[in-house]
Amino acid sequence: MFGNLSDRLSDTFKNLRGKGRLSASDIDATLRDIRRALLEADVALEVVKDFIGAIRERALGDEVSKALNPAQQVVQIVNEELTQILGGESKQLRFAKSPPTVIMLAGLQGSGKTTLAGKLAKWLKEQNQTPLLVAADLQRPNAVTQLEVLGERTGVSVFAPEPGNGAGDPIEVAKKAIAHAKKAQFSVVIVDTAGRLGVDEEMMKQAIGIRDAVDPDEILFVVDSMLGQDAVNVAKAFKEGVGVTGVVLTKLDGDSRGGAALSVANVTGAPILFSSTGEGLDAFETFHPDRMAGRILDMGDVVSLIEQAQKSFDEEESKKLAEKILSDSFTLQDFLEQMQQLRKMGNMKSILGMMPGAGKMKQQLEDFDESEIGRTEAIIFSMTPVERNMPKVLNGSRRQRIAKGSGTTVTEVNQLVNRFEQAAKVMKTMSKGGMPNIPGTNPVQMGGSVGGGYIGGRKKDSKKKGSKSGNPAKRAAENKGLGYLATPETKPGSAFGLEK
Amino acid sequence: MFKFLKRLRGEQASAVQSQALEQEVAVETTLDNLAPDLTAREDSPVEPPKSTVSVQPILADQAAAETEGQDHKAPDQAARPIQLEAVELPKRSLGSGVRSLFGEAVNIDELEDILIMADFGVEVAEEITAQVKKDANKQGASSDAELRLLLKDLLTERLNREDSALNLDDGKLPYVFLVVGVNGAGKTTTIGKLARWLKDGDWEVVLGAADTYRAAAVDQLATWADRAESPIIRPAKEGADPAAVAYQTVEMAINTGADIAIIDTAGRLQSKKDLMDELGKIRRAVEKQAKISEVLLVIDATNGQNAMSQARAFTDVADVTGIVMTKLDGTAKGGILYALQKELDLPIKLVGVGEQINDFAFFSPEEFAKGLVAKK
């Protein structure tokens, strides 16, 4: 099988290196790769065709031939166009001027509507809304019960006058629900409907009936991100049938590339509002088109990573760290603090998952043991201040003592010290302004890149388009040549114990 | 089309049984003669269904728990053999479940795109198109009908497999089916339909609700169990250990002398390592008491290339033995099943073609290919 797009493109680009200009055939070769990558990511063929056409036009234009690095420019264009189709900036849910705001959910069977209803209700509740869940899926066995359980878990009221399992009229339920919501002053009504196929005319009529009964402010089309080529037909059917004002992508926590997002956004013209990323009721977030673009192209999610890092990295501390690195006094103590800061950013798995090229390491990420960080901490805590500040003094007997004190083995202590030394080296390179170019020190670079993007004073640039590191695609492409994170032949996993 | 072995029940059973007791020796010789025919599944015209009877030894504790169809039960019959019969399941077909690939006359130059749009995948689409072109040239086929036939034959031939029957023919009762898949693929519905189907064929089925995770999943299966008139084992409480449910399900199947136990599992995305490991645990729990006859991976036909990744991951941890393609009645063509069979060597065994309890059939390459090339 083929690797991801970044890999394939970097292959193509290898041949282009040193070329000041791209010929039309160079561009076509690149576009062929992109086409294939998009198809393998399950973007619908007709969408791919349009898309490639648009890219070709731009790529043949001035902006590429004049660019310093034409190949990367192509990727940048692809990324921009992708983000564009996916909806540019993140969009917000529309609320009615006078409550209740009515949100109707529609989609295929098994796309995750009921689960999403629960998540949405919880999210709205956290925004100080008073949501009401309406059980209008009277088709699937026990969909009503499922919604009731979700209501219970989230502490949200559920309007379920009918037991379901084929009995009752969902249109009636929907009507009554609105009356009930007005009377009981709920601010948002979420109407869960039965899953239906786009070609099922009768069911589509029913959906229209429900829509007309509740006059929704948003009709959210719930889409399984694993959807294949059929996404186009389904999206068309729902758009023409019940109508779509917004899209929700579910099951994004899987390993699908989510090309369906592109197809659906393109066909419906409706913005993707939310993405659902797991089975927990909190696994729900506002959709970020730029991040999705990176995912479809498998270029990681550098922007998200930077944002998250910026949130949790204290600027002051980072400055201090930068100075230390420059003055060569980066110590194990700093290493520990840096790691603790990293941990503040959240679950290591999700952070690492955002890195470019991480597609390859998905399995390793899932295997990644968070407690590894705990062990590393224990080892450093078992050192004396002198040892932490001057790792050079760590001789055999000291190491033995540390191993004993931290309940680990000397080997583990040795590994940590090695990783630290590598990390220090990488950071030094980075802080001097260059990207690290040491293959095999991958997750160290992760620490490095997060801190480094900052330390190197490029923080402000990081969001600016066209800057060295701002654009995820471009940045990823740049990093690509540097064995970023997932050089296959080298073992990923030094500093934070990814190794298994 | 396929022949399976199940327990012989009812009057026939008792009749045969007394006969069997009288002529024990004779029947045993028959068994030796019959065995090869029965395992040959399909074409065994010599033995008409429902009349083939073989006898196998039975464990004492199994016999003690037997209730049905045993009119003259006596303690001294502890070593009574299970009587098996070879049966077919009631006929069900894909019907008009699969939609045609072609809205208009076949244009061979567009074939590749059309196959891609049917989720065959780029590589497969290229390969099939090249083959069709080659064959068309060789045979001088150019008309619409000829090309359709060419494609149909090609697909039928390549999709045909020897191992596409359900593993219900080794006579080691109870058969245990484990049903796995990602969230929303249609596992529970599949089990409901399969249970009803078997029930219609006079099989005794026990269902196990080992999806202890999703809200109301157990109730959903319970509703299907009702429709299929089959008993169900429920977890003691929400979030209970699915392996325990699986164990109890098999236990009940053994104790009640059921033919088959079908165990529902929670949907899990293949990228979730810990959840996938849980499947291994369920497997082990089942294998303490019985052999697992079939691990069915349920795949949503609307899924695209990700289905490959699903199949790979589930095969790794759960030893998938067959695939069920669901939701083929939509506009999705399920072309990915071609790659699933070819690349992963996993047979497609069943297909779901609607929400009704009977919208379910064995996968037939011929019917599938016919549907794909049909004239609208």
Side-chain angles (χ1 to χ4, degrees), chain A residues 195-214:
Chain A
R196 60 202 79 222
L197 292 168
V199 284
D200 190 335
E201 279 174 34
E202 204 166 302
M203 285 298 280
M204 205 47 99
K205 255 186 221 151
Q206 184 204 70
I208 293 169
I210 297 175
R211 180 195 68 193
D212 294 344
V214 301

Side-chain angles (χ1 to χ4, degrees), chain A residues 38-150:
Chain A
L38 290 173
L39 286 173
E40 271 160 22
D42 282 324
V43 181
L45 182 66
E46 60 171 85
V47 178
V48 173
K49 280 182 172 168
D50 288 354
F51 184 74
I52 294 292
I55 307 278
R56 177 179 280 123
E57 210 157 283
R58 273 187 70 182
L60 289 171
D62 269 3
E63 68 184 310
V64 172
S65 57
K66 280 185 185 156
L68 276 177
N69 185 335
Q72 281 168 18
Q73 191 71 28
V74 173
V75 177
Q76 160 122 22
I77 292 172
V78 171
N79 190 58
E80 278 175 19
E81 291 280 328
L82 265 180
T83 312
Q84 183 75 37
I85 297 185
L86 288 170
E89 303 282 300
S90 310
K91 295 273 192 327
Q92 300 291 321
L93 201 63
R94 263 186 315 216
F95 286 94
K97 283 196 186 94
S98 56
T101 300
V102 180
I103 301 171
M104 175 177 168
L105 305 179
L108 293 176
Q109 291 94 339
S111 55
K113 285 175 298 302
T114 308
T115 306
L116 181 92
K119 290 179 178 179
L120 188 60
K122 180 160 195 278
W123 182 79
L124 285 165
K125 203 179 159 208
E126 281 159 8
Q127 319 267 315
N128 291 323
Q129 301 281 348
T130 47
L132 172 70
L133 285 165
V134 179
D137 177 357
L138 306 178
Q139 201 82 15
R140 179 165 59 90
N142 293 86
V144 176
T145 325
Q146 188 185 350
L147 198 66
E148 277 168 344
V149 172
L150 288 170

